[in-house]
Amino acid sequence: GQNIDQPTEMTATEGAIVQINCTYQTSGFNGLFWYQQHAGEAPTFLSYNVLDGLEEKGRFSSFLSRSKGYSYLLLKELQMKDSASYLCAVPTNAGKSTFGDGTTLTVKP
Amino acid sequence: DTGVSQDPRHKITKRGQNVTFRCDPISEHNRLYWYRQTLGQGPEFLTYFQNEAQLEKSRLLSDRFSAERPKGSFSTLEIQRTEQGDSAMYLCASSFGAATNEKLFFGSGTQLSVL
């Protein structure tokens, strides 16, 4: 089975940096996804990590440690539009993804 | 690329009625997934297809739920004898292939309210 844990809510200030953590337990590891979901909208892909380390993509970076079963999403220079739910997901070897319950990020002025 | 489309966007029904939702994936995508999402939760896997073949159905899914993808293109999800607990957002997603690094493209969902 697969178990994914994320904090339920986080709050940060516009212009700041925030780190959203995800821990997972899987019977086999096939990478880890991060998706962004604005309220009332569909999730959209942010990143995929399969090797240890940090992958940077503009203001967003994602980190993975396979030995610790841990990932984080780092958001820099926060903007109001970054207020959303951030979902961590792990795929099985058949490609089906299991999602965490998401972290709702609120960015305040 | 018109994206994944779902119809209807909203559905209100009375308990005991049957409902059917439709999903049109991105045209060249072979994989099609159905997920269900309730407020404050992440998407919960229901079932998925590789072309027209249904490869897996969640054990949490009762026999009232059935999905088809008859020609390997669009898919329908039917819920029979709806219950109030079926109220949720039903999300469809597609991906090009079966590789583990294939990202999902989601539709905007169908919001079901069972009264």
Side-chain angles (χ1 to χ4, degrees), chain A residues 8 30-31 33 35 37 40-45 48 87 91-102, chain B residues 9 31 33 35 37 40-43 45 48 56 89 91 98-109:
Chain A
T8 304
N30 300 288
F33 289 96
Y35 288 83
Q37 186 176 26
E41 298 183 11
T44 55
F45 169 82
Y48 173 77
L87 300 162
T92 66
N93 57 7
K96 177 196 82 176
S97 281
T98 298
F99 286 81
D101 285 337
Chain B
R9 289 295 308 273
R31 280 281 181 102
Y33 301 80
Y35 285 85
Q37 187 176 28
Q41 307 279 310
F45 170 78
Y48 78 109
E56 186 178 342
M89 173 72 83
L91 292 167
T100 55
N101 63 347
E102 290 281 354
K103 62 186 177 185
L104 299 179
F105 292 80
F106 283 88
S108 297

Side-chain angles (χ1 to χ4, degrees), chain B:
Chain B
D1 179 359
T2 57
V4 179
S5 62
Q6 292 188 245
D7 183 67
R9 289 295 308 273
H10 303 274
K11 179 70 176 178
I12 300 174
T13 191
K14 292 183 179 179
R15 190 177 51 185
Q17 297 294 304
N18 298 344
V19 294
T20 300
F21 310 141
R22 177 179 170 124
C23 171
D24 287 87
I26 293 172
S27 58
E28 63 268 25
H29 283 188
N30 298 314
R31 280 281 181 102
L32 186 147
Y33 301 80
W34 286 99
Y35 285 85
R36 175 173 62 191
Q37 187 176 28
T38 53
L39 202 61
Q41 307 279 310
E44 175 191 30
F45 170 78
L46 296 179
T47 188
Y48 78 109
F49 294 82
Q50 173 78 26
N51 298 313
E52 66 274 12
Q54 187 172 18
L55 297 186
E56 186 178 342
K57 187 175 175 180
S58 170
R59 286 171 291 177
L60 302 175
L61 214 58
S62 78
D63 291 342
R64 296 185 296 106
F65 287 72
S66 62
E68 293 183 342
R69 193 182 182 197
K71 296 182 180 179
S73 56
F74 74 92
S75 175
T76 58
L77 177 68
E78 181 183 17
I79 309 174
Q80 296 182 329
R81 304 181 303 282
T82 52
E83 301 173 357
Q84 288 184 326
D86 297 332
S87 296
M89 173 72 83
Y90 289 83
L91 292 167
C92 176
S94 68
S95 66
F96 179 73
T100 55
N101 63 347
E102 290 281 354
K103 62 186 177 185
L104 299 179
F105 292 80
F106 283 88
S108 297
T110 294
Q111 182 67 53
L112 174 66
S113 298
V114 181
L115 304 179

Side-chain angles (χ1 to χ4, degrees), chain A residues 77-98:
Chain A
E77 301 168 15
L78 280 173
Q79 301 176 10
M80 299 299 289
K81 66 178 182 180
D82 297 329
S83 292
S85 179
Y86 291 86
L87 300 162
C88 176
V90 290
T92 66
N93 57 7
K96 177 196 82 176
S97 281
T98 298

